[in-house]
Amino acid sequence: MLSGNPQNEPMHYGEVFGVWSYLATTKGLLVAYQTFINHTGDKDLKSFLEDLTQGMKQEIQQIENLLKVNGIAPPPTAQERPVASLESIPVGARFNDPEIAAGVSMDIAAGLVACSQIMGQSIREDIGMMFGQFHITKAQFGGRLLRINKEKGWLVPPPLHLQTPELVHA
């Protein structure tokens, strides 16, 4: 049962839970990011979010196929958000670009951890490899967003350690 083609192996409960939960989260974040695209005024951030959501749609399709082949019902899918004009959103009701970038940065970091956890608990090589690829892609998006945050001056670093204390000689 656990030798040969990994696609013929059953998923264990940990794999099912991890994959299903990852999919549910990704589906929720996708519609949130579609809303963020409507609120984004910065062209670089908007382009990043559009690329990110395209990647998320591909992940969703791959994971849904995996679950369906294994007889597992995927989580529900929310309706995609319509495109809206930034000017039609009242100023006081808008997310601003630095807030969007910070929130998406946190989500990417959490996604890296989730991918690593699924990779670590998987005994099916195909699932481990799938989430390894998602991890690589997510790390690339994280690096790209970090550059945007730095270039735009949106990154708020923790206190920087600029000086090292002198060693006390006894």
Side-chain angles (χ1 to χ4, degrees):
M1 180 180 283
L2 296 178
S3 62
N5 185 351
Q7 294 173 345
N8 295 333
E9 297 173 5
M11 293 174 69
H12 66 71
Y13 289 112
E15 289 169 329
V16 172
F17 180 77
V19 169
W20 194 94
S21 298
Y22 183 90
L23 178 58
T25 301
T26 302
K27 285 181 170 186
L29 289 174
L30 175 63
V31 294
Y33 295 171
Q34 289 170 337
T35 301
F36 285 166
I37 289 170
N38 291 333
H39 288 248
T40 301
D42 183 84
K43 66 178 179 62
D44 295 327
L45 182 59
K46 187 172 202 152
S47 174
F48 171 82
L49 290 171
E50 288 167 346
D51 292 346
L52 181 62
T53 56
Q54 283 306 109
M56 293 169 78
K57 288 177 183 179
Q58 292 171 1
E59 283 186 6
I60 288 168
Q61 184 178 16
Q62 282 183 263
I63 297 169
E64 283 185 336
N65 289 340
L66 172 69
L67 292 177
K68 287 176 185 175
V69 165
N70 286 278
I72 302 159
T77 302
Q79 282 192 325
E80 291 200 16
R81 298 300 187 250
V83 175
S85 168
L86 178 64
E87 292 77 30
S88 68
I89 303 169
V91 174
R94 289 185 203 161
F95 290 102
N96 65 45
D97 293 338
E99 292 170 335
I100 293 169
V104 174
S105 294
M106 288 187 339
D107 294 339
I108 289 172
L112 288 166
V113 172
C115 287
S116 294
Q117 182 175 1
I118 294 167
M119 289 164 46
Q121 73 185 13
S122 292
I123 60 174
R124 280 189 41 177
E125 295 94 343
D126 60 329
I127 295 173
M129 295 297 287
M130 178 188 295
F131 280 87
Q133 186 58 51
F134 294 167
H135 190 279
I136 291 167
T137 301
K138 203 169 290 301
Q140 291 169 334
F141 276 118
R144 183 174 162 196
L145 185 54
L146 178 59
R147 276 191 307 280
I148 291 170
N149 276 315
K150 286 181 174 182
E151 289 169 1
K152 306 292 179 179
W154 299 337
L155 182 67
V156 180
L160 300 175
H161 185 72
L162 300 175
Q163 296 180 1
T164 57
E166 289 187 34
L167 295 176
V168 177
H169 297 284

